[in-house]
CSV table of all heavy atoms in Angstrom, one decimal:
chain,number,residue,atom,x,y,z
B,176,ILE,N,51.6,-22.1,-18.3
B,176,ILE,CA,52.7,-21.1,-18.1
B,176,ILE,C,54.0,-21.9,-18.2
B,176,ILE,O,55.0,-21.5,-18.9
B,176,ILE,CB,52.5,-20.3,-16.8
B,176,ILE,CG1,51.4,-19.3,-17.0
B,176,ILE,CG2,53.8,-19.5,-16.5
B,176,ILE,CD1,51.0,-18.6,-15.7
B,177,ARG,N,54.1,-23.0,-17.4
B,177,ARG,CA,55.3,-23.7,-17.3
B,177,ARG,C,55.7,-24.3,-18.7
B,177,ARG,O,56.8,-24.3,-19.2
B,177,ARG,CB,55.2,-24.8,-16.3
B,177,ARG,CG,56.5,-25.6,-16.0
B,177,ARG,CD,57.6,-24.7,-15.6
B,177,ARG,NE,58.7,-25.5,-15.0
B,177,ARG,CZ,60.0,-25.2,-15.0
B,177,ARG,NH1,60.3,-24.0,-15.5
B,177,ARG,NH2,60.9,-25.9,-14.4
B,178,ARG,N,54.6,-24.8,-19.4
B,178,ARG,CA,54.9,-25.4,-20.7
B,178,ARG,C,55.4,-24.4,-21.7
B,178,ARG,O,56.4,-24.6,-22.4
B,178,ARG,CB,53.5,-26.0,-21.3
B,178,ARG,CG,53.6,-26.5,-22.7
B,178,ARG,CD,52.3,-26.9,-23.3
B,178,ARG,NE,51.3,-25.8,-23.5
B,178,ARG,CZ,51.4,-25.0,-24.5
B,178,ARG,NH1,52.3,-25.1,-25.4
B,178,ARG,NH2,50.5,-24.0,-24.6
B,179,ILE,N,54.8,-23.2,-21.7
B,179,ILE,CA,55.2,-22.2,-22.6
B,179,ILE,C,56.6,-21.7,-22.3
B,179,ILE,O,57.5,-21.5,-23.1
B,179,ILE,CB,54.2,-21.0,-22.6
B,179,ILE,CG1,52.9,-21.5,-23.3
B,179,ILE,CG2,54.8,-19.8,-23.3
B,179,ILE,CD1,51.7,-20.5,-23.1
B,180,GLN,N,56.9,-21.5,-21.0
B,180,GLN,CA,58.2,-21.1,-20.5
B,180,GLN,C,59.3,-22.1,-21.0
B,180,GLN,O,60.4,-21.7,-21.5
B,180,GLN,CB,58.2,-20.9,-19.0
B,180,GLN,CG,59.5,-20.3,-18.4
B,180,GLN,CD,60.5,-21.3,-18.0
B,180,GLN,OE1,60.2,-22.5,-17.7
B,180,GLN,NE2,61.8,-20.9,-18.0
B,181,GLN,N,59.0,-23.4,-20.8
B,181,GLN,CA,60.0,-24.4,-21.2
B,181,GLN,C,60.2,-24.5,-22.7
B,181,GLN,O,61.3,-24.6,-23.2
B,181,GLN,CB,59.6,-25.7,-20.6
B,181,GLN,CG,59.9,-25.8,-19.1
B,181,GLN,CD,59.5,-27.1,-18.5
B,181,GLN,OE1,58.5,-27.7,-18.9
B,181,GLN,NE2,60.2,-27.5,-17.4
B,182,GLN,N,59.0,-24.3,-23.4
B,182,GLN,CA,59.1,-24.3,-24.9
B,182,GLN,C,59.9,-23.2,-25.4
B,182,GLN,O,60.7,-23.4,-26.3
B,182,GLN,CB,57.6,-24.2,-25.4
B,182,GLN,CG,57.5,-24.6,-26.9
B,182,GLN,CD,56.0,-24.6,-27.3
B,182,GLN,OE1,55.1,-25.0,-26.5
B,182,GLN,NE2,55.8,-24.2,-28.5
B,183,LEU,N,59.8,-22.0,-24.8
B,183,LEU,CA,60.5,-20.8,-25.3
B,183,LEU,C,61.9,-20.7,-24.7
B,183,LEU,O,62.7,-19.9,-25.1
B,183,LEU,CB,59.7,-19.6,-25.1
B,183,LEU,CG,58.3,-19.5,-25.8
B,183,LEU,CD1,57.6,-18.2,-25.5
B,183,LEU,CD2,58.4,-19.6,-27.3
B,184,GLY,N,62.0,-21.3,-23.5
B,184,GLY,CA,63.3,-21.2,-22.8
B,184,GLY,C,63.6,-19.8,-22.3
B,184,GLY,O,64.7,-19.4,-22.2
B,185,ILE,N,62.5,-19.1,-21.9
B,185,ILE,CA,62.7,-17.7,-21.5
B,185,ILE,C,62.9,-17.7,-20.0
B,185,ILE,O,62.3,-18.4,-19.2
B,185,ILE,CB,61.5,-16.9,-21.9
B,185,ILE,CG1,61.8,-15.4,-21.6
B,185,ILE,CG2,60.2,-17.3,-21.3
B,185,ILE,CD1,60.8,-14.4,-22.3
B,186,THR,N,63.8,-16.8,-19.6
B,186,THR,CA,64.1,-16.6,-18.2
B,186,THR,C,62.9,-15.9,-17.5
B,186,THR,O,62.4,-14.9,-18.1
B,186,THR,CB,65.3,-15.6,-18.0
B,186,THR,OG1,66.4,-16.1,-18.8
B,186,THR,CG2,65.8,-15.5,-16.6
B,187,THR,N,62.4,-16.5,-16.4
B,187,THR,CA,61.1,-16.1,-15.9
B,187,THR,C,61.2,-15.8,-14.4
B,187,THR,O,61.8,-16.6,-13.7
B,187,THR,CB,60.1,-17.1,-16.2
B,187,THR,OG1,60.0,-17.3,-17.6
B,187,THR,CG2,58.7,-16.7,-15.7
B,188,ILE,N,60.7,-14.7,-14.0
B,188,ILE,CA,60.5,-14.4,-12.5
B,188,ILE,C,59.0,-14.3,-12.2
B,188,ILE,O,58.3,-13.6,-12.9
B,188,ILE,CB,61.2,-13.0,-12.1
B,188,ILE,CG1,62.6,-12.9,-12.7
B,188,ILE,CG2,61.1,-12.8,-10.6
B,188,ILE,CD1,63.6,-13.7,-11.9
B,189,TYR,N,58.6,-15.1,-11.3
B,189,TYR,CA,57.2,-15.3,-11.0
B,189,TYR,C,57.0,-14.9,-9.5
B,189,TYR,O,57.6,-15.5,-8.6
B,189,TYR,CB,56.9,-16.8,-11.2
B,189,TYR,CG,55.4,-17.1,-11.2
B,189,TYR,CD1,54.7,-17.3,-12.3
B,189,TYR,CD2,54.8,-17.4,-10.0
B,189,TYR,CE1,53.3,-17.7,-12.3
B,189,TYR,CE2,53.5,-17.8,-9.9
B,189,TYR,CZ,52.8,-17.9,-11.1
B,189,TYR,OH,51.4,-18.3,-11.0
B,190,VAL,N,56.1,-14.0,-9.3
B,190,VAL,CA,55.8,-13.6,-7.9
B,190,VAL,C,54.5,-14.2,-7.5
B,190,VAL,O,53.5,-14.2,-8.2
B,190,VAL,CB,55.6,-12.0,-7.8
B,190,VAL,CG1,54.9,-11.6,-6.6
B,190,VAL,CG2,57.0,-11.4,-7.9
B,191,THR,N,54.5,-14.8,-6.3
B,191,THR,CA,53.3,-15.5,-5.8
B,191,THR,C,53.3,-15.6,-4.3
B,191,THR,O,54.4,-15.5,-3.7
B,191,THR,CB,53.1,-16.9,-6.4
B,191,THR,OG1,51.9,-17.5,-5.9
B,191,THR,CG2,54.3,-17.8,-6.1
B,192,HIS,N,52.1,-15.6,-3.7
B,192,HIS,CA,52.1,-15.9,-2.3
B,192,HIS,C,51.6,-17.4,-2.1
B,192,HIS,O,51.4,-17.8,-0.9
B,192,HIS,CB,51.2,-14.9,-1.5
B,192,HIS,CG,49.8,-14.9,-2.0
B,192,HIS,ND1,49.3,-14.0,-2.9
B,192,HIS,CD2,48.8,-15.7,-1.7
B,192,HIS,CE1,48.1,-14.3,-3.2
B,192,HIS,NE2,47.7,-15.3,-2.4
B,193,ASP,N,51.3,-18.1,-3.2
B,193,ASP,CA,50.8,-19.4,-3.2
B,193,ASP,C,51.9,-20.4,-3.3
B,193,ASP,O,52.6,-20.6,-4.3
B,193,ASP,CB,49.8,-19.6,-4.4
B,193,ASP,CG,49.1,-20.9,-4.4
B,193,ASP,OD1,49.7,-21.9,-3.9
B,193,ASP,OD2,48.0,-21.0,-4.8
B,194,GLN,N,52.2,-21.1,-2.2
B,194,GLN,CA,53.3,-22.0,-2.1
B,194,GLN,C,53.2,-23.2,-3.1
B,194,GLN,O,54.2,-23.6,-3.7
B,194,GLN,CB,53.5,-22.6,-0.7
B,194,GLN,CG,52.2,-23.1,-0.1
B,194,GLN,CD,52.3,-23.8,1.2
B,194,GLN,OE1,52.9,-24.9,1.2
B,194,GLN,NE2,51.8,-23.2,2.2
B,195,GLU,N,52.0,-23.6,-3.3
B,195,GLU,CA,51.8,-24.7,-4.3
B,195,GLU,C,52.2,-24.3,-5.7
B,195,GLU,O,52.8,-25.1,-6.4
B,195,GLU,CB,50.3,-25.1,-4.3
B,195,GLU,CG,50.0,-26.5,-4.8
B,195,GLU,CD,48.5,-26.8,-4.8
B,195,GLU,OE1,47.9,-26.8,-3.7
B,195,GLU,OE2,47.9,-27.0,-5.9
B,196,GLU,N,51.8,-23.1,-6.0
B,196,GLU,CA,52.2,-22.6,-7.4
B,196,GLU,C,53.8,-22.5,-7.5
B,196,GLU,O,54.3,-23.0,-8.4
B,196,GLU,CB,51.7,-21.1,-7.5
B,196,GLU,CG,50.5,-21.0,-8.3
B,196,GLU,CD,49.9,-19.6,-8.3
B,196,GLU,OE1,50.7,-18.6,-8.4
B,196,GLU,OE2,48.7,-19.4,-8.1
Side-chain angles (χ1 to χ4, degrees):
Chain B
I176 288 170
R177 186 57 165 156
R178 175 186 67 80
I179 291 168
Q180 186 269 335
Q181 285 179 328
Q182 193 174 326
L183 301 178
I185 187 166
T186 310
T187 303
I188 310 284
Y189 188 98
V190 162
T191 181
H192 61 263
D193 185 329
Q194 47 171 294
E195 198 180 301
E196 259 174 45

